[in-house]
Structure formats: C-alpha cells, structure tokens
Amino acid sequence: MGTPQLRVTCARPSSRPELGAESGACRLVGLRMRGGQGAARAPVIQFTNCRILRGRALLREDLWVRGGRILDPEKLFFEERRVADEQRDCGGCILAPGFIDVQINGGFGVDFSQATEDVGSGVALVARRILPHGVTSFCPTLVTSPPEVYCKVLPQIPVKSGGPHGAGVLGVHLEGPFISHEKRGAHPEAHLRSFEANAFQDLLATYGGLDNVRIVTLAPELGRSHEVIRALTALGICVSLGHSVADLGTAEEAVQSGATFITHLFNAMLPFHHRDPGIVGLLTSDRLPLGRHIFYGMIADGIHTNPAALRIAHRAHPEGLVLVTDAVPALGLGNGRHTLGQQEVEVDGLTAYVAGTNTLSGSIAPMDTCVRHFLQATGCSVESALEAASLHPAQLLGLEKHKGTLDFGADADFVVLDDSLHVRATYISGELVWQAEEARQ
C-alpha cells in the first residue's frame, strides 16, 4: 500500500560552496511501500540524497530508520534480507542529530520558575514551540527561587520522551540558589543561600527532592560545596560551576570532587586574569583528574559573548563547548516587560535586562540562531557548530549512545537543515514532528 506524498522544499542558496551546490534544495518525497513486508513489523524508512553528520564529518550516505532508532543497513540486507519500506529524497540537505538545550528558562510567555497550578502545560507549550528551532530534547531551567517554588514546580516537570507533542524533557537544571552574591547576575539576592552545617540535607530541604533533577549549578567557593558536589554526582546529577567568584584552584578542586560543567562561560564569573584565570582556566588546566572531560556552556546570541571570546574558548577546548540558549520567558514575544522567576525583565531589541538595570537577564535567541551565529563568529566547521548543539550536550549528560548522534542504534532524533543551517524539518524517534511552511507545498 502506498504512503502519502510528503514534500519539503528548501530553496535557500548555499552560503558555503564547499558543502556542494545541490544542497540548496531539500525535497522529502514519500515513496511506495515495498513487498508488504512492513505489515508484521515496524516499517523501514530510508532517507536518501542527504549528508549525514556522523563521526565528526558530513557523509554522503543514506540514513535508515526503524522503530524510532537509527538502523544499520548491512544487518538489514544480509541478516534480514530486507529493503526499505519507504524512501525519502532529501535533495542534498544536511541531516544532523537533534539539538539539545541544557539551559532554557522558559519561552513564549512561559516561566519555568513560576509556581503555577499547571506547570506541565507551560513546559508542554515550550516543548512544542522549540521544535521549529531543531531542539528535540531540553532541560527546563529554574533560576534562584524560594523553597516553596521548588517544592511546587519540580514534581510537575517529570522526565518525558519527545514526540509529536514536543521536545523531550531530560530533567531539570537548577541554577541557584547556592551561588555568589557578587556574581548573582539576574538572580534575586533575597533568595540566595549558602550551605548550612549539614550541607546536602540543606540542599534537599531547599529543593524538596531531586527526583527530576539533571543539573545543579552552584558556586564552588561556598563552604561545604565539595561535599555537596560529591553527593550530587553520586546520584548521577551533573554539577555545574557558575555565578561564582572562585579562583582556579577552587574550581579545580570542584572538578576533582566531580563537577563536569561550567555554566555560561565568561558570564557571571571572575574575568580571566593571567595570574589567576579563575573558572575560565579550567579549559586548559593540567590539574584535572585523569580522563576527566570538562564541558562549558556558551551563549552564542551575539550579546552575551564577544566573537573574539567565542573564538578563544573554542580554540582552547573545542570538544567541551556546549551551546545553550539561556532563553528567558520573553523568547518569541518581542519588546516589553516580562518575568524571570522573582524578577521583572525588560526586552529591548535583541537584549533582555533586569528591569531598571543594565544587568543582562538571559537570552531571547533560539538554538538554531545560536548555531548560525557561532558558526559565523568562530569560523569553525559546520560539523563543529552542529556538534556543539547536539553531541557535546549529550556527552555532558552521559547520553551519547542514544542522543546527539546518528550512529547505529541511537534514537532517530534529527534535524533537516539547508546549507545556511536553517531548519527545514525536525524528527523525533523517526517521526516528522515539524516542517517549514514552505516545505509543505
């Protein structure tokens, strides 16, 4: 039985001729079912005429998908003696792993740090609205809040698989309240905390539990922070260093205790100094545990980080760079006053400030915009820019066997892009969950 025709047309001219002239078009065409063999098992879909990001290179290969996973075609041919049930011609477009945003505070009017009666509906709205930007998984992020907010909000944001309803939720990122007063940025000073005598129990009491938590950002110079880092990492929770005045030695000790991430590098930390580079120095430190890999978030929105700083970080430690949006609830809404947790935020053009101040308050740039700006600002390869939004965050969270990759056996979460890295379609578990309006004609 035939499948419905699906056409996705991308007509943007290539701005990078080395990627090939034919990549300016993207046409996904559903073809016939073959042999009726798909009736008793999940159908095999073959994406043809595409360039796949795999093994740090764009390869001119087909992508095979079945049952929501990336399929090894050799096993299909030689062990099962099967061919594709459906073919889709991608017209030379790029197929890259779906983007993963590990720091997003909300968007489209939804504030994850607001203790409403139906937090889940807000998370669902954001999960749906970030699909056009290529995001297939994310970590809803809560900024510094009073304990009653954590206790009400966290149980309402469970880990959830993605699908037609929206991007998957990988767990919550708790940014604060155990951070520096001096480098609090947009976090409300009244709700900042330090660790009490029984530090980890104090943290549990503040958050009300850690069941849905994936990342915790804290300042490592706070007393008793290292015992907290060890306790969190023992539970499989990623500890990130940020909003901090830590010197390099303190940051290195935190990594030795288990920390693996830096929250929005350069922002809300001591500036680099040649005699003590602070947390920034972790990118080239020779005092990290053997085999320990440090990752760092970068907000490549054209506002938070100067292009020269982006280039310095990328050239110093390209394998650890993780693009994050740090998007605030004002994402997608335009100029005006909006909220971020307990604070009021004012958006003016491309910049969000704490109302009445010149303090930056997150970003209003979506992930695909950050990818394009990062590519342009650093002059890195297309492969590197795409991996910074996919493979690297997956590695940070220990999910690289399933997310952030198009290797055989991985989840079939991927994004279809033209040569300018504009999103043409988004797939989760091999299912089309969004496509550009012009691509439907």
Side-chain angles (χ1 to χ4, degrees), residues 155-179:
Q156 297 188 63
I157 312 181
V159 173
K160 184 177 182 180
S161 297
H165 57 275
V169 176
L170 299 175
V172 175
H173 180 169
L174 297 174
E175 186 186 6
F178 301 98
I179 58 175

Side-chain angles (χ1 to χ4, degrees), residues 25-226:
C26 169
R27 183 178 295 115
L28 304 191
V29 184
L31 299 181
R32 65 185 183 279
M33 299 288 285
R34 298 187 178 183
Q37 298 179 31
R41 64 188 78 179
V44 174
I45 304 175
Q46 178 187 7
F47 294 84
T48 67
N49 191 15
C50 54
R51 290 159 295 155
I52 302 171
L53 180 60
R54 180 181 285 159
R56 303 186 184 279
L58 284 173
L59 307 175
R60 288 192 176 276
E61 295 183 0
D62 295 348
L63 185 72
W64 298 72
V65 174
R66 179 173 64 187
R69 300 289 180 87
I70 307 297
L71 188 64
D72 182 349
E74 288 194 7
K75 291 185 177 180
L76 182 75
F77 300 152
F78 298 113
E79 295 181 12
E80 300 183 37
R81 298 186 180 278
R82 288 191 63 193
V83 293
D85 298 302
E86 178 184 346
Q87 291 183 335
R88 300 186 184 182
D89 185 338
C90 300
C93 277
I94 295 170
L95 270 58
F99 300 150
I100 301 171
D101 193 352
V102 300
Q103 186 175 6
I104 173 171
N105 308 287
F108 317 103
V110 175
D111 187 342
F112 297 146
S113 299
Q114 290 287 329
T116 65
E117 295 299 325
D118 189 11
V119 173
S121 65
V123 174
L125 186 150
V126 173
R128 186 171 64 253
R129 295 286 296 274
I130 57 180
L131 293 176
H133 303 291
V135 178
T136 55
S137 301
F138 70 114
C139 292
T141 303
L142 273 65
V143 297
T144 293
S145 303
E148 58 267 25
V149 169
Y150 295 119
C151 293
K152 187 168 186 177
V153 171
L154 286 178
Q156 297 188 63
I157 312 181
V159 173
K160 184 177 182 180
S161 297
H165 57 275
V169 176
L170 299 175
V172 175
H173 180 169
L174 297 174
E175 186 186 6
F178 301 98
I179 58 175
S180 163
H181 282 257
E182 183 179 342
K183 293 295 181 180
R184 65 185 181 276
H187 292 244
E189 185 174 14
H191 300 299
L192 299 182
R193 298 175 67 94
S194 55
F195 294 114
E196 302 300 331
N198 196 341
F200 186 62
Q201 291 304 315
D202 181 34
L203 177 142
L204 288 176
T206 300
Y207 294 143
L210 297 168
D211 288 347
N212 299 325
V213 175
R214 199 61 184 255
I215 305 173
V216 172
T217 291
L218 54 77
E221 71 273 16
L222 296 180
R224 307 179 185 88
S225 65
H226 297 296

Side-chain angles (χ1 to χ4, degrees), residues 244-268:
S244 167
V245 294
D247 58 22
L248 178 57
T250 300
E252 289 170 334
E253 290 174 3
V255 175
Q256 290 161 7
S257 295
T260 56
F261 193 40
I262 302 170
T263 295
H264 43 53
L265 188 77
F266 297 125
N267 290 277

Side-chain angles (χ1 to χ4, degrees), residues 110-441:
V110 175
D111 187 342
F112 297 146
S113 299
Q114 290 287 329
T116 65
E117 295 299 325
D118 189 11
V119 173
S121 65
V123 174
L125 186 150
V126 173
R128 186 171 64 253
R129 295 286 296 274
I130 57 180
L131 293 176
H133 303 291
V135 178
T136 55
S137 301
F138 70 114
C139 292
T141 303
L142 273 65
V143 297
T144 293
S145 303
E148 58 267 25
V149 169
Y150 295 119
C151 293
K152 187 168 186 177
V153 171
L154 286 178
Q156 297 188 63
I157 312 181
V159 173
K160 184 177 182 180
S161 297
H165 57 275
V169 176
L170 299 175
V172 175
H173 180 169
L174 297 174
E175 186 186 6
F178 301 98
I179 58 175
S180 163
H181 282 257
E182 183 179 342
K183 293 295 181 180
R184 65 185 181 276
H187 292 244
E189 185 174 14
H191 300 299
L192 299 182
R193 298 175 67 94
S194 55
F195 294 114
E196 302 300 331
N198 196 341
F200 186 62
Q201 291 304 315
D202 181 34
L203 177 142
L204 288 176
T206 300
Y207 294 143
L210 297 168
D211 288 347
N212 299 325
V213 175
R214 199 61 184 255
I215 305 173
V216 172
T217 291
L218 54 77
E221 71 273 16
L222 296 180
R224 307 179 185 88
S225 65
H226 297 296
E227 65 182 84
V228 171
I229 294 171
R230 287 190 290 269
L232 288 170
T233 54
L235 294 173
I237 294 173
C238 169
V239 175
S240 187
L241 311 180
H243 288 278
S244 167
V245 294
D247 58 22
L248 178 57
T250 300
E252 289 170 334
E253 290 174 3
V255 175
Q256 290 161 7
S257 295
T260 56
F261 193 40
I262 302 170
T263 295
H264 43 53
L265 188 77
F266 297 125
N267 290 277
M269 60 186 62
L270 291 178
F272 181 90
H273 189 279
H274 59 283
R275 282 192 287 273
D276 189 342
I279 289 177
V280 177
L282 289 175
L283 271 62
T284 57
S285 173
D286 60 359
R287 296 185 179 180
L288 303 186
L290 187 64
R292 180 67 56 83
H293 195 61
I294 191 74
F295 292 90
Y296 58 98
M298 292 293 290
I299 310 171
D301 62 349
I303 303 294
H304 278 77
T305 313
N306 185 279
L310 280 174
R311 290 191 289 272
I312 288 171
H314 180 253
R315 292 173 188 177
H317 185 30
E319 296 85 5
L321 194 148
V322 175
L323 288 176
V324 300
T325 62
D326 196 21
V328 295
L331 171 67
L333 298 184
N335 291 346
R337 291 211 168 192
H338 311 275
T339 67
L340 176 60
Q342 310 300 304
Q343 303 270 53
E344 193 170 53
V345 171
E346 187 160 5
V347 173
D348 181 13
L350 300 176
T351 308
Y353 300 100
V354 175
T357 76
N358 61 356
T359 300
L360 288 176
S361 179
S363 168
I364 53 172
M367 182 60 82
D368 57 328
T369 297
C370 291
V371 171
R372 291 191 296 272
H373 177 72
F374 176 69
L375 176 69
Q376 184 274 328
T378 63
C380 70
S381 67
V382 168
E383 294 91 333
S384 293
L386 293 171
E387 287 184 342
S390 56
L391 177 63
H392 296 175
Q395 291 173 328
L396 167 69
L397 299 177
L399 299 174
E400 67 272 19
K401 299 293 184 183
H402 307 286
K403 305 287 185 185
T405 178
L406 297 181
D407 287 347
F408 304 141
D411 294 344
D413 298 350
F414 60 94
V415 58
V416 180
L417 303 137
D418 64 21
D419 283 347
S420 300
L421 300 189
H422 287 87
V423 179
R424 315 313 302 155
T426 304
Y427 284 78
I428 294 180
S429 296
E431 184 175 0
L432 179 67
V433 294
W434 181 86
Q435 64 182 131
E437 186 66 35
E438 61 268 27
R440 301 174 187 174
Q441 301 174 1

